[in-house]
Amino acid sequence: MKKVLSYLKDYRKESILGPLFKLLEACFELIVPFVIAAIIDRGIPSGDAGYILRMGLLLVALGLIGLASSVTAQYFAAKAAVGLATKLRHAVFAHIQKLGFADVDRIGASTLITRMTSDINQVQSGVNLGLRLFLRSPFIVFGAMIMAFTIDVRCALVFAVAIPVLAVIVFGILAITMPLYKKTQAQLDRVLLLTRENLGGTRVLRAFGREDDEIAEFDRLHAGLTRFQSLSGKISSLMNPLTYIAINFALIALLRTGAMRVNAGVLSQGQVVALVNYISQILVELIKLANLIITVSKAAACGNRVGAVLAVRPSMASPRDTAEPDPENAGCVEFDHVSLRYAGGASDALTDVHFSARRGQMIGVIGGTGSGKSSLVNLIPRFYDATQGCVRVDGQDVRRYALEDLRGRIGVVPQKALLFAGSIRDNLLWGNPGADDETLLEAARAAQAEDVLAAKGGLDGAIEQGGRNLSGGQRQRLTIARALVRRPEILILDDSASALDFATDARLRMAIRKLPYHPTVFIVSQRSASVRYADRIVVLDDGRVAGIGSHEELLESCAVYREIYESQFRKEASGND
């Protein structure tokens, strides 16, 4: 939480002025019962209308000044709280962008979303309420008790008993409910995770007819969330009845003692009314203080969760002493006895992978599902770090490059073709923000996406969120064009042509071979037709290299590749090729 509150440093003035104006309001509020007592004791018995009018105008003035102080305090508190939340949200988002894939996998995307939205909103509410009431409520509670002692010590003893009783009730309920609030927040994470998965995979759910099962699972998780919220709400709801019972008993004791003191001539009627007003103020402020403590405790728990994200050190930061690429090895990629194990994995995803690719070569990567194809190419732009061995780009270990420099040389087309809401031009410019229209059109032609531009009205054609207004093949071709706009030294196509027909796939590969800047190309695919014309094919089997060579060589020497090929083509076809 200390890390989170450090973002208030730019709002020191607001953080000081807000509570001070609230204290000013509290001072005026404590004067009000004295003014009312004076009206009752002096103005009404003597029938002095002028005095009553003057005291009435004084009450109005105190009210207006108190209102102005309250509004000013609210302005400063809100400015500080909103400013804190804004800076904190920017800081968390920027920090998440620095995290590696392994870090995001470990924390969880749904948890990160919750902490950027719900948790930061809770911190904002806690800071806002804290700046307004953290000093005001205790000041009025103890101020009212002190004022009561200045009126009459014996009556004030009722305050000295009532305040500890009320404090026990308030803090006892808080001690029970705070652990429940933490469990509620954790359960909310699970509900959001399920909701996110269902929204992202709605087509899969409907295709397999799993709607009822997922609704039942959501109902189960939501019932758990409701149970925690309901239990904490029921316990919290006891606060008002119990505090009102305690305060009413205190009020009865005060009125009895005050009546006896009035009969004895020690107290006036106006002083008794002032004492009743003070005990009412104490009740109101203790309720506010209880709500404040609940809100601040929630905010502290949420702030700790946000702080935990900010405390995560990226597992792959840029080195201080960065390497310069070797011009003689430009575009070369080398895997030097590389192994990879994901965090929490029971075994290696890749084991002792060793091969190299020269500039301009087209390398095919093929293997069964889960064989490690995507894991292999994800090591090149350093989405993950190898646990053993090293990956070299342009003759240097990728861990010695600044991440921006390394990834600036590489064009990556991931398995999932993801486009952003906007125009086609906006999406293609992600590859190179300074590219002109001719460069964009050239990349679209190479990616076989000219018909997509024609169908959508050119580069200014609208793209909906996620590319929902495009087919799977259209999305894939635009994501390939986006990578080509960069004119990368190394181009990684991670099963990015799976939705294309064989003819379009062939034209795409031919166009990539004819690119004037001759990138080193890695084509990841489960289709042997997509990799058979590559210069070299790397065959993976359960994370290990089962064979490396050309299509013809692997048919002769690699049983795994031959099995993949023959499962997709008739056996006799291999004899005709």
Side-chain angles (χ1 to χ4, degrees), residues 43 79 82 93 120 127 160 186 192 216 283 386 392 483 567 571:
K79 185 177 179 181
V82 172
F93 185 80
I120 291 181
V127 170
L192 287 175
L283 170 63
R392 297 187 182 92
S567 68
K571 290 186 178 182

mmCIF file with all atom_site columns, all heavy atoms in Angstrom, residues 43 79 82 93 120 127 160 186 192 216 283 386 392 483 567 571:
data_model
loop_
_atom_site.group_PDB
_atom_site.id
_atom_site.type_symbol
_atom_site.label_atom_id
_atom_site.label_alt_id
_atom_site.label_comp_id
_atom_site.label_asym_id
_atom_site.label_entity_id
_atom_site.label_seq_id
_atom_site.pdbx_PDB_ins_code
_atom_site.Cartn_x
_atom_site.Cartn_y
_atom_site.Cartn_z
_atom_site.occupancy
_atom_site.B_iso_or_equiv
_atom_site.pdbx_formal_charge
_atom_site.auth_seq_id
_atom_site.auth_comp_id
_atom_site.auth_asym_id
_atom_site.auth_atom_id
_atom_site.pdbx_PDB_model_num
ATOM 1   N N   . GLY A 1 43  ? -32.163 33.780  25.301  1.00 0.00 ? 43  GLY A N   1
ATOM 2   C CA  . GLY A 1 43  ? -33.082 34.466  24.400  1.00 0.00 ? 43  GLY A CA  1
ATOM 3   C C   . GLY A 1 43  ? -34.543 34.164  24.683  1.00 0.00 ? 43  GLY A C   1
ATOM 4   O O   . GLY A 1 43  ? -35.375 35.078  24.790  1.00 0.00 ? 43  GLY A O   1
ATOM 5   N N   . LYS A 1 79  ? -9.970  15.707  -6.111  1.00 0.00 ? 79  LYS A N   1
ATOM 6   C CA  . LYS A 1 79  ? -8.869  15.952  -7.047  1.00 0.00 ? 79  LYS A CA  1
ATOM 7   C C   . LYS A 1 79  ? -7.684  15.044  -6.747  1.00 0.00 ? 79  LYS A C   1
ATOM 8   O O   . LYS A 1 79  ? -7.082  14.452  -7.651  1.00 0.00 ? 79  LYS A O   1
ATOM 9   C CB  . LYS A 1 79  ? -8.446  17.421  -6.968  1.00 0.00 ? 79  LYS A CB  1
ATOM 10  C CG  . LYS A 1 79  ? -7.383  17.796  -7.995  1.00 0.00 ? 79  LYS A CG  1
ATOM 11  C CD  . LYS A 1 79  ? -7.049  19.281  -7.923  1.00 0.00 ? 79  LYS A CD  1
ATOM 12  C CE  . LYS A 1 79  ? -5.969  19.648  -8.949  1.00 0.00 ? 79  LYS A CE  1
ATOM 13  N NZ  . LYS A 1 79  ? -5.622  21.096  -8.883  1.00 0.00 ? 79  LYS A NZ  1
ATOM 14  N N   . VAL A 1 82  ? -8.802  11.189  -7.509  1.00 0.00 ? 82  VAL A N   1
ATOM 15  C CA  . VAL A 1 82  ? -8.891  10.903  -8.945  1.00 0.00 ? 82  VAL A CA  1
ATOM 16  C C   . VAL A 1 82  ? -7.507  10.977  -9.584  1.00 0.00 ? 82  VAL A C   1
ATOM 17  O O   . VAL A 1 82  ? -7.156  10.155  -10.449 1.00 0.00 ? 82  VAL A O   1
ATOM 18  C CB  . VAL A 1 82  ? -9.859  11.881  -9.635  1.00 0.00 ? 82  VAL A CB  1
ATOM 19  C CG1 . VAL A 1 82  ? -9.819  11.724  -11.148 1.00 0.00 ? 82  VAL A CG1 1
ATOM 20  C CG2 . VAL A 1 82  ? -11.285 11.654  -9.129  1.00 0.00 ? 82  VAL A CG2 1
ATOM 21  N N   . PHE A 1 93  ? -0.671  -0.100  -16.040 1.00 0.00 ? 93  PHE A N   1
ATOM 22  C CA  . PHE A 1 93  ? -0.741  -0.494  -17.452 1.00 0.00 ? 93  PHE A CA  1
ATOM 23  C C   . PHE A 1 93  ? 0.651   -0.500  -18.078 1.00 0.00 ? 93  PHE A C   1
ATOM 24  O O   . PHE A 1 93  ? 1.022   -1.430  -18.808 1.00 0.00 ? 93  PHE A O   1
ATOM 25  C CB  . PHE A 1 93  ? -1.667  0.461   -18.214 1.00 0.00 ? 93  PHE A CB  1
ATOM 26  C CG  . PHE A 1 93  ? -1.899  0.052   -19.649 1.00 0.00 ? 93  PHE A CG  1
ATOM 27  C CD1 . PHE A 1 93  ? -2.810  -0.936  -19.960 1.00 0.00 ? 93  PHE A CD1 1
ATOM 28  C CD2 . PHE A 1 93  ? -1.198  0.643   -20.680 1.00 0.00 ? 93  PHE A CD2 1
ATOM 29  C CE1 . PHE A 1 93  ? -3.031  -1.328  -21.267 1.00 0.00 ? 93  PHE A CE1 1
ATOM 30  C CE2 . PHE A 1 93  ? -1.400  0.272   -22.001 1.00 0.00 ? 93  PHE A CE2 1
ATOM 31  C CZ  . PHE A 1 93  ? -2.324  -0.719  -22.294 1.00 0.00 ? 93  PHE A CZ  1
ATOM 32  N N   . ILE A 1 120 ? -8.356  -0.521  -8.327  1.00 0.00 ? 120 ILE A N   1
ATOM 33  C CA  . ILE A 1 120 ? -7.938  0.890   -8.333  1.00 0.00 ? 120 ILE A CA  1
ATOM 34  C C   . ILE A 1 120 ? -9.123  1.801   -8.032  1.00 0.00 ? 120 ILE A C   1
ATOM 35  O O   . ILE A 1 120 ? -8.969  2.824   -7.347  1.00 0.00 ? 120 ILE A O   1
ATOM 36  C CB  . ILE A 1 120 ? -7.274  1.244   -9.676  1.00 0.00 ? 120 ILE A CB  1
ATOM 37  C CG1 . ILE A 1 120 ? -5.929  0.520   -9.790  1.00 0.00 ? 120 ILE A CG1 1
ATOM 38  C CG2 . ILE A 1 120 ? -7.067  2.755   -9.805  1.00 0.00 ? 120 ILE A CG2 1
ATOM 39  C CD1 . ILE A 1 120 ? -5.163  0.796   -11.063 1.00 0.00 ? 120 ILE A CD1 1
ATOM 40  N N   . VAL A 1 127 ? -9.186  6.622   -0.662  1.00 0.00 ? 127 VAL A N   1
ATOM 41  C CA  . VAL A 1 127 ? -8.409  7.861   -0.490  1.00 0.00 ? 127 VAL A CA  1
ATOM 42  C C   . VAL A 1 127 ? -9.339  9.055   -0.379  1.00 0.00 ? 127 VAL A C   1
ATOM 43  O O   . VAL A 1 127 ? -9.137  9.943   0.465   1.00 0.00 ? 127 VAL A O   1
ATOM 44  C CB  . VAL A 1 127 ? -7.425  8.021   -1.668  1.00 0.00 ? 127 VAL A CB  1
ATOM 45  C CG1 . VAL A 1 127 ? -6.779  9.403   -1.655  1.00 0.00 ? 127 VAL A CG1 1
ATOM 46  C CG2 . VAL A 1 127 ? -6.351  6.952   -1.608  1.00 0.00 ? 127 VAL A CG2 1
ATOM 47  N N   . ALA A 1 160 ? -17.860 9.228   28.472  1.00 0.00 ? 160 ALA A N   1
ATOM 48  C CA  . ALA A 1 160 ? -16.649 8.435   28.690  1.00 0.00 ? 160 ALA A CA  1
ATOM 49  C C   . ALA A 1 160 ? -16.947 6.944   28.690  1.00 0.00 ? 160 ALA A C   1
ATOM 50  O O   . ALA A 1 160 ? -16.077 6.124   28.354  1.00 0.00 ? 160 ALA A O   1
ATOM 51  C CB  . ALA A 1 160 ? -15.998 8.835   30.009  1.00 0.00 ? 160 ALA A CB  1
ATOM 52  N N   . ALA A 1 186 ? -11.116 -12.217 -3.843  1.00 0.00 ? 186 ALA A N   1
ATOM 53  C CA  . ALA A 1 186 ? -10.511 -13.374 -4.511  1.00 0.00 ? 186 ALA A CA  1
ATOM 54  C C   . ALA A 1 186 ? -11.560 -14.147 -5.312  1.00 0.00 ? 186 ALA A C   1
ATOM 55  O O   . ALA A 1 186 ? -11.294 -14.623 -6.432  1.00 0.00 ? 186 ALA A O   1
ATOM 56  C CB  . ALA A 1 186 ? -9.865  -14.288 -3.480  1.00 0.00 ? 186 ALA A CB  1
ATOM 57  N N   . LEU A 1 192 ? -14.607 -13.343 -12.693 1.00 0.00 ? 192 LEU A N   1
ATOM 58  C CA  . LEU A 1 192 ? -14.175 -12.592 -13.865 1.00 0.00 ? 192 LEU A CA  1
ATOM 59  C C   . LEU A 1 192 ? -13.389 -13.469 -14.835 1.00 0.00 ? 192 LEU A C   1
ATOM 60  O O   . LEU A 1 192 ? -13.502 -13.311 -16.056 1.00 0.00 ? 192 LEU A O   1
ATOM 61  C CB  . LEU A 1 192 ? -13.315 -11.401 -13.428 1.00 0.00 ? 192 LEU A CB  1
ATOM 62  C CG  . LEU A 1 192 ? -14.076 -10.241 -12.782 1.00 0.00 ? 192 LEU A CG  1
ATOM 63  C CD1 . LEU A 1 192 ? -13.113 -9.186  -12.279 1.00 0.00 ? 192 LEU A CD1 1
ATOM 64  C CD2 . LEU A 1 192 ? -15.052 -9.617  -13.763 1.00 0.00 ? 192 LEU A CD2 1
ATOM 65  N N   . ALA A 1 216 ? -24.069 -23.332 -15.429 1.00 0.00 ? 216 ALA A N   1
ATOM 66  C CA  . ALA A 1 216 ? -24.058 -23.985 -14.110 1.00 0.00 ? 216 ALA A CA  1
ATOM 67  C C   . ALA A 1 216 ? -22.779 -23.662 -13.346 1.00 0.00 ? 216 ALA A C   1
ATOM 68  O O   . ALA A 1 216 ? -22.808 -23.396 -12.140 1.00 0.00 ? 216 ALA A O   1
ATOM 69  C CB  . ALA A 1 216 ? -24.216 -25.500 -14.284 1.00 0.00 ? 216 ALA A CB  1
ATOM 70  N N   . LEU A 1 283 ? -22.564 9.935   17.818  1.00 0.00 ? 283 LEU A N   1
ATOM 71  C CA  . LEU A 1 283 ? -23.168 8.777   17.158  1.00 0.00 ? 283 LEU A CA  1
ATOM 72  C C   . LEU A 1 283 ? -22.958 8.855   15.648  1.00 0.00 ? 283 LEU A C   1
ATOM 73  O O   . LEU A 1 283 ? -22.494 7.897   15.017  1.00 0.00 ? 283 LEU A O   1
ATOM 74  C CB  . LEU A 1 283 ? -24.662 8.714   17.477  1.00 0.00 ? 283 LEU A CB  1
ATOM 75  C CG  . LEU A 1 283 ? -25.468 7.691   16.663  1.00 0.00 ? 283 LEU A CG  1
ATOM 76  C CD1 . LEU A 1 283 ? -24.980 6.275   16.944  1.00 0.00 ? 283 LEU A CD1 1
ATOM 77  C CD2 . LEU A 1 283 ? -26.957 7.820   16.941  1.00 0.00 ? 283 LEU A CD2 1
ATOM 78  N N   . ALA A 1 386 ? 15.146  -18.885 -22.791 1.00 0.00 ? 386 ALA A N   1
ATOM 79  C CA  . ALA A 1 386 ? 15.561  -20.284 -22.702 1.00 0.00 ? 386 ALA A CA  1
ATOM 80  C C   . ALA A 1 386 ? 16.077  -20.576 -21.294 1.00 0.00 ? 386 ALA A C   1
ATOM 81  O O   . ALA A 1 386 ? 16.776  -19.763 -20.690 1.00 0.00 ? 386 ALA A O   1
ATOM 82  C CB  . ALA A 1 386 ? 16.651  -20.561 -23.730 1.00 0.00 ? 386 ALA A CB  1
ATOM 83  N N   . ARG A 1 392 ? 20.672  -17.039 -30.643 1.00 0.00 ? 392 ARG A N   1
ATOM 84  C CA  . ARG A 1 392 ? 21.442  -15.924 -31.190 1.00 0.00 ? 392 ARG A CA  1
ATOM 85  C C   . ARG A 1 392 ? 20.736  -15.357 -32.412 1.00 0.00 ? 392 ARG A C   1
ATOM 86  O O   . ARG A 1 392 ? 20.288  -16.103 -33.280 1.00 0.00 ? 392 ARG A O   1
ATOM 87  C CB  . ARG A 1 392 ? 22.860  -16.357 -31.552 1.00 0.00 ? 392 ARG A CB  1
ATOM 88  C CG  . ARG A 1 392 ? 23.690  -16.814 -30.367 1.00 0.00 ? 392 ARG A CG  1
ATOM 89  C CD  . ARG A 1 392 ? 25.139  -17.072 -30.771 1.00 0.00 ? 392 ARG A CD  1
ATOM 90  N NE  . ARG A 1 392 ? 25.915  -17.550 -29.628 1.00 0.00 ? 392 ARG A NE  1
ATOM 91  C CZ  . ARG A 1 392 ? 26.084  -18.824 -29.321 1.00 0.00 ? 392 ARG A CZ  1
ATOM 92  N NH1 . ARG A 1 392 ? 25.525  -19.764 -30.085 1.00 0.00 ? 392 ARG A NH1 1
ATOM 93  N NH2 . ARG A 1 392 ? 26.785  -19.171 -28.265 1.00 0.00 ? 392 ARG A NH2 1
ATOM 94  N N   . ALA A 1 483 ? 2.835   -7.396  -40.427 1.00 0.00 ? 483 ALA A N   1
ATOM 95  C CA  . ALA A 1 483 ? 4.221   -7.756  -40.126 1.00 0.00 ? 483 ALA A CA  1
ATOM 96  C C   . ALA A 1 483 ? 5.159   -7.370  -41.267 1.00 0.00 ? 483 ALA A C   1
ATOM 97  O O   . ALA A 1 483 ? 6.301   -6.954  -41.037 1.00 0.00 ? 483 ALA A O   1
ATOM 98  C CB  . ALA A 1 483 ? 4.317   -9.254  -39.853 1.00 0.00 ? 483 ALA A CB  1
ATOM 99  N N   . SER A 1 567 ? -0.101  -38.969 -43.510 1.00 0.00 ? 567 SER A N   1
ATOM 100 C CA  . SER A 1 567 ? -1.439  -38.803 -42.930 1.00 0.00 ? 567 SER A CA  1
ATOM 101 C C   . SER A 1 567 ? -2.226  -37.721 -43.660 1.00 0.00 ? 567 SER A C   1
ATOM 102 O O   . SER A 1 567 ? -3.459  -37.689 -43.575 1.00 0.00 ? 567 SER A O   1
ATOM 103 C CB  . SER A 1 567 ? -1.323  -38.445 -41.447 1.00 0.00 ? 567 SER A CB  1
ATOM 104 O OG  . SER A 1 567 ? -0.774  -37.153 -41.273 1.00 0.00 ? 567 SER A OG  1
ATOM 105 N N   . LYS A 1 571 ? -0.300  -42.406 -49.430 1.00 0.00 ? 571 LYS A N   1
ATOM 106 C CA  . LYS A 1 571 ? 1.056   -42.965 -49.386 1.00 0.00 ? 571 LYS A CA  1
ATOM 107 C C   . LYS A 1 571 ? 1.699   -43.009 -50.759 1.00 0.00 ? 571 LYS A C   1
ATOM 108 O O   . LYS A 1 571 ? 2.868   -42.741 -50.939 1.00 0.00 ? 571 LYS A O   1
ATOM 109 C CB  . LYS A 1 571 ? 1.034   -44.365 -48.769 1.00 0.00 ? 571 LYS A CB  1
ATOM 110 C CG  . LYS A 1 571 ? 0.732   -44.364 -47.282 1.00 0.00 ? 571 LYS A CG  1
ATOM 111 C CD  . LYS A 1 571 ? 0.862   -45.764 -46.698 1.00 0.00 ? 571 LYS A CD  1
ATOM 112 C CE  . LYS A 1 571 ? 0.597   -45.747 -45.202 1.00 0.00 ? 571 LYS A CE  1
ATOM 113 N NZ  . LYS A 1 571 ? 0.756   -47.094 -44.610 1.00 0.00 ? 571 LYS A NZ  1
#
